[in-house]
Amino acid sequence: MSGRARLTVFAALATLFTAWSLNPLVESGGWLPQAALLLALQSAVGAGARRVPLARTLTVASQVLVSLLALMLVFGGKMPSAAGEGLLDYLVTDFGALFRQGVQDVNEFAMPAPLTDGIRLLLVSGVLLIGLLVDLLAVTVRTAAAAGLPLLALYSVAAGLSGAATGSGGASWTAFLLAGCGYLLLLLAEGRDRLAQWGRVFGAAPRGKVAAGYAGGGQALAPVRTGRRIGAVALGLALAVPVVLPSMGSGLLGTGGGVGDGEGNGLGPSIQAVNPLVSLQSSLNTQDNRVVLRYRTDSPQLGEQYLRILALDEFNGVKWEASGRALTDVPKRMPNPPGVSESVLNGATEVQTFISSAQTYAQRYLPMPYPATGVDIAGKWRFEPAGRTLVGDQLGKDKFQNAQGVQYSVRSLLLNPTAEQLRRAPAADPEIAAEYTKVPDNLPAVVVQTAREVTRGTKDDYSAAVKLQDYFAVSGGFRYDTKVSSGTGAQAIAKFLADKEGFCVHFAFSMASMARTLGIPARVAVGFTPGVKQADGVVNVSMRDAHAWPELYFEGVGWTRFEPTPRSGITVPEYSRPATPQTQPSAPTAAPSASAAQPSAGPSTADDCPPDQKKLGECGPAAGQRNAGAGGDGPSAATVLAWTAAGILLLALPLLPFLWRGRLRARRLGSGRVLTAWRELGDAAWDVGILPDEALSPRGAADRVVSLGRLDASAADAVRRVAGAVERELYAPPGAAPPDAELAEDVLLARAGLLAGVSRRSRLRAVLFPRSAARVGWAASARWASLTGRLADAAARARTRIPLRGRG
C-alpha cells in the first residue's frame, strides 16, 4: 500500500473513531454503519481522483458530488419529490426540508434522542463533512497535524451535548480514547510517509553489534516507538489532568449552554430550552439544586400553586410538542378559560402572585399559575390564547425577550371543581374533542389495550381518568426513576408500560395518550411544582421542581390537572382522589412543606414593606430590581476565581511571542553592547519579512535593510549609524572609539521606520507574532541536542568502564 493510500485509510479511521463520541446522543447506533459506508465511499473517490491525478479543487469537488448523490440515494425514500424534479430543486426542497426537520428534532428532543430520519441525516452528513475536511488536510494538502482541528470540533460538539444531557461534564473516557488514538494513528502514518520520501532510513544498531559496522536494512523503528510513547503519555495526561481541575456545575432545563434562544450573562448556566422537555431529565438529576424562581402568593392552597410554562397538545407518534398557533397582544384582562361553566367560576378564588426569576433563568415562556387572568410585566411579550401562555417576542436578529431576572405579578383563578361536577360533565365540544383526541397511526396496540383493561367497568370519563391516574401512581407497580432514558415517542410509551419505570415525562405522556384512546381530550403541561415555602413566607422553586403532568378536558370544568407520577413532594388533586380506600402509593404524596397549606399574608404597603418583599417586586415601581441571592445560586468564589485565572491564562497564550519579544528587546538595548544591538536590529527587520543574511558585511546588510524596508532618510541614517558602530567594534583597535551612547535610540528609530513601511496586517503580525520568535525553538533544540549528547557520552563512558573493571 502506498503512503498516500495509507494516509487515506487512517484519515477515514480517525474520523470514524471520533464520530463514535456522537453515539450517546441518540437511542440507536444504526446511523454509524451508514456513516462508515458513505465515508469509505467518499475516501475511495478521493483516492481515485488523486491517482488520476486531478487538481486539488477537482478532487474535493468530486468527493462532494459523490457524497451528495450517496446521501440522496440513502435518504431518497424519506423525501418524496415530484416527478421530473431537477437535482437542484430536489436539494433545495425535499433534501432541505428533511435537514430542517432534523434541526427541529435536535432542538426539541431530550438526549438520547430517537433516531429520526432528520437526526440520522444530520449525523451522517456531519460525519461526511468532517471526513472531507480531514481527508483534504491530511491527504490532499499533506498537513495531517491541521486535520486535528475538524476532529476536535466534532469531538467538542459531542462532548458538550453529552455533558449537557447527562450532567457529567462531557463524553465518556472511551470516546476520548478512541478519538485520541485515531488522531495519533493519523499522525504516525503521515510521519512514516514523510520519512519514506527521504529514501532508505537506517535505525539504531541492534544490541550485540558495533554501530559503525552495522549496515542492516531494517526499518527505522526509533521514530515510531518514540511517537507511540509520546502518544501514550499525551493520552494519559489528558485523562488524568481533568481530574484535578475545577469544574462548573450544571444548569436547569438547558444546562450550560443548552439549546434554545436564551442568552447567558456570565453568572452560570442559563435555562434556554425552547421546549423545556429537552433538559427536564438533567434538571431532575442535577446535583446543583439552584433556586430559579421565588414568589409570594395569597393562595389558600399552596399545594395547587403549579407554575405552568406551556402545554404540549400535539402527538405525532415521534414526540409531544406545542402546535403552532397565532400569537396576539397580551390583553389587560384575559378571557375566561375555555369550557369553564358559570357555576365553577362562581366557586373560584382569584389569587395574586408576585414572582421573581433568577438571572440564570433565560426561558422564553413565562411561568404562571393556571388559569391566569392578568399579568403585569415589563418587556415585549405575546399571548397564546389556546394554551394561555406568554411567549417572549423577538427583539432583534436571533434575540428574543426572556424571563431572565424579571419580576412580575400574576392574577389567576383557583378553581375548586368537585368530583360530582367532573362526573356529570357532558360530552366535550366537538372541535376540542376532534383536536385533542388524535393519536398517531403508529401508536402500539398495547397502549390502547392497557387503557381499556384499566378502565373496564367505568361509566364516565371522570371515573376512567381516576382509574388511569391510580394505575400509574398506586396499583400498577410503576417505579419513579429519573435515570431511565427519556424517549417521548410511541415506542417509548410501550416500553414504559412494559418496564414500569420512568419519571414524570413518561407518566404524563402515557396517561395523556391512553386518555385520548378512550375519547377523553388530553394534553401535557410542563412547568414547576409549587416549591418549598420558607419561614419568611417566600416560596423557593428550584431546578428539581421541574415537572410534567397531564391535563384532561371536561366540559363545564375546562382543562383539569391529574397527577399519575408517584413522586415525593407532589399533591394529588382533591377532586381526583378515589372515593373508596386504596392501597398505599409507592411513594409519599405529601405537600411540599408542613406550612404549605397555610395561607400567606397579602402584599404589604409601600410604607412598611419589608426588604424581602421589595426584592420580590411587591412594593410598586420603587422596588429593587435585583432578586434576593441564595447560597446555592451559582458557583463558589474559589471556583469563579480559578476559572477566571484559567481564562486569563488562555487569553494570554497568544500574547506570549509579543511579551517575549518586548522583554528581549529591552534586555538587548539595555546592555549597551554594540553587537547585541545589531542583532536586535536584524531581528526587527526579520519581523517585517526581511530575512537575515549572515554573508553580508555590516555595511552591505544595512544597505539591504534600507532598500527592502523602504526607509525614510532619518531611519536609514539610524541603520547606517548602527552598522558603523558594528564596524568599529569589529575592526578598530581596542579602545579606539567608545560605544555610541545613542545606539539604542537608533535601533528603536530604525524599527519604527520598518514598521511604518509595511501594511497594517504585516505590522500587526510583526508585533504580535514576530518571525524572530523562531530563535526560541532553535535555542531549545540546541539545548536538547546538547543534553542528549552529554547523556549519550556519559552512557558510552559507563559502558566502556564496566568491562575493564571485570578484567581485573
Side-chain angles (χ1 to χ4, degrees), residues 155 171-177 232-244:
Y155 176 79
S172 65
W173 67 270
T174 308
F176 172 79
L177 197 60
V233 172
L235 284 175
L237 288 176
L239 289 172
V241 168
V243 176
V244 299

Side-chain angles (χ1 to χ4, degrees), residues 48-70:
R50 285 185 289 266
R51 190 173 181 83
V52 169
L54 295 179
R56 292 179 176 178
T57 54
L58 294 179
T59 300
V60 175
S62 62
Q63 288 178 289
V64 171
L65 180 60
V66 172
S67 299
L68 286 176
L69 292 176

